[in-house]
Structure formats: C-alpha cells, structure tokens
Amino acid sequence: MLKSYEELSPIAIDCLKEIGNIGSSYAASSMSTMLSKSVEMHVPEVRLMDFQSVIDEMGGPEKVIAGILVDLSGDIEGMIMFLLEESFTKIVLDTLMGRQHINLTELDEADISAIIEMGNIMAGSYIGAISSLSGLSVKMAVPSMTVDMMGAVMDLPIIEFSKVGDKVLFIDDGFIIDNIDIKSNIILVPTVESLDILMKKLGVSDD
C-alpha cells in the first residue's frame, strides 16, 4: 500500500510521465481545434516537488499568474491545477476574443470565461489520458480560476493537501502555438489512496 508520494518508484514516475505525454498530446489537439491554430506540444517533464519548490520554479511568490483549479472525484480523488503565465492567456484572448495587449489584472468576465473553458479542455485531456490508460472513471468539477501572486494561488492546494504530504506531481510542459513558445505548468494532486489505486491499475506495485 502506497503511503506517500515519496514512495513512488522510478517505474511509477515513468507511468506518470506517459500520462503527461498522452494528456499533452490530447490537449494540443483540442487547443488546435478551439483556437484554429497550429499547436505543438513540448515533451512534458514530470517531477515530484514540494510546494515551495513549485513556487520558486514558477518565478517566485510575487509573480502574478492565472491558476485554474479542477477538483476530481470518482475513482480518483484530488485536484488538478493549471498554472498559466500571461503569454498563454494573451494568445487565448487574442484568438477567441480579439483582445490584444490585455494583462492578467485587467480581465473581465468574458475573458475569464474563455480562459476557464480552455482550462476545462486541458483538464479533460489529462483526465482522459488517465482514464484511457487505467480504465478508471474520473469526474471533474466545474473549474474555478484565480489571478493572483503565485504564493496566494498556491494557498489552496497547500491547505487542502498538506495533510497527505508536502509533495505534488509537477508537470512542466508547454506548447508551440503559431511558432510562439508558450509555457504551461500543471500540478496534479491525487490523494495517496487514489495514486495507489492508479498505480495498481497500471500494473505498478510499490509494495
């Protein structure tokens, strides 16, 4: 029985990397359709990181960022959070809304709805990858979005999941949209029990 993220074996991490690869591929295809643009994916890097390291990786606690949070239920419980830098949101808003040179602190309700919809598509891509590989049924709640400094954006996952440990699965990926390199990062925080179920379904035992 898996008791913490730290017990994940190299094989288990490789399985999570494969989920990241497939999820990124699905996401790139879905975004290409939604934006009517060429979208290519970077090969994602999956790392086990503590919360403070994630904050530092993203540019420090004072960097303003958009966080899209999706709660997960069903066979896998936990959350997935997308950390989107301003360059990502600008391309989405320019393409879908014709809104140019808008920074994250100037978003109106329509802008936020468009970005949340993109987050919903991306979350569905990664959850779809988990389901297709494992056969597990995973339900997604309606995404919520906040724009704030990185330290504040991370408050919720820290409060909610510090009781299961101080580590998260950090997926460092990104996309090339119309030849522009766009960074995107994902925090995947299943409960330890859910992670154990997933590993067993994938034929990986960390006993």
Side-chain angles (χ1 to χ4, degrees), residues 120-186:
N120 193 45
I121 288 172
M122 293 172 69
S125 298
Y126 287 92
I127 298 309
I130 291 174
S131 296
S132 65
L133 286 175
S134 67
L136 295 171
S137 175
V138 187
K139 298 177 182 177
M140 295 174 13
V142 176
S144 60
M145 175 178 158
T146 183
V147 174
D148 209 328
M149 291 187 291
M150 184 66 196
V153 169
M154 288 293 291
D155 277 348
L156 181 59
I158 289 173
I159 292 168
E160 288 292 316
F161 292 95
S162 59
K163 58 182 176 288
V164 302
D166 65 348
K167 303 289 186 182
V168 295
L169 296 168
F170 183 73
I171 303 175
D172 185 3
D173 67 358
F175 302 93
I176 302 170
I177 303 177
D178 272 359
N179 297 315
I180 300 173
D181 203 357
I182 302 296
K183 189 173 177 60
S184 166
N185 297 100
I186 301 160

Side-chain angles (χ1 to χ4, degrees), residues 11-26 76 124-138 188 197-204:
I11 294 175
I13 295 292
D14 283 343
C15 287
L16 293 169
K17 288 180 180 178
E18 184 59 20
I19 288 172
N21 278 324
I22 294 173
S24 292
S25 178
Y26 288 174
I76 299 290
S125 298
Y126 287 92
I127 298 309
I130 291 174
S131 296
S132 65
L133 286 175
S134 67
L136 295 171
S137 175
V138 187
L188 180 60
I197 290 169
L198 176 60
M199 290 299 106
K200 284 180 168 59
K201 280 288 187 179
L202 295 175
V204 178

